């Protein structure tokens, strides 16, 4: 990526940010799933449940 393309990309992002209404920018971000469930699915949750049941 050349410097000019990068500069165009950054300018485009900046303009999108400025044109977005302030109320919309201040909305809380969506809650993301944990990295363990994102990478490994339900296996970490199942292991946690097994260990929690043993207590």
């Amino acid at each position: 990526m050349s410097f000019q393309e990068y500069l165009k990309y950054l300018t485009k992002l900046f303009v999108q940010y400025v044109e977005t209404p302030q109320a919309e920018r201040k909305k809380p971000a969506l809650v993301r799933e944990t990295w363990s469930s994102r990478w490994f699915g339900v296996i970490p949750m199942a292991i946690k449940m097994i260990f929690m049941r043993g207590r």
Side-chain angles (χ1 to χ4, degrees):
M1 179 181 273
S2 71
F3 179 73
Q4 286 182 336
E5 290 174 350
Y6 184 65
L7 189 60
K8 285 179 185 178
Y9 172 72
L10 287 178
T11 305
K12 179 181 153 192
L13 287 179
F14 178 73
V15 169
Q16 284 177 346
Y17 175 79
V18 171
E19 289 180 345
T20 305
Q22 190 173 14
E24 190 173 324
R25 279 188 263 155
K26 293 198 182 245
K27 284 183 183 176
L30 296 175
V31 177
R32 290 179 51 178
E33 57 190 348
T34 61
W35 69 269
S36 60
S37 63
R38 173 180 249 183
W39 282 79
F40 303 111
V42 295
I43 295 171
M45 183 184 68
I47 293 171
K48 276 191 226 176
M49 289 175 68
I50 290 170
F51 283 113
M52 294 301 284
R53 187 172 22 153
R55 287 185 177 182

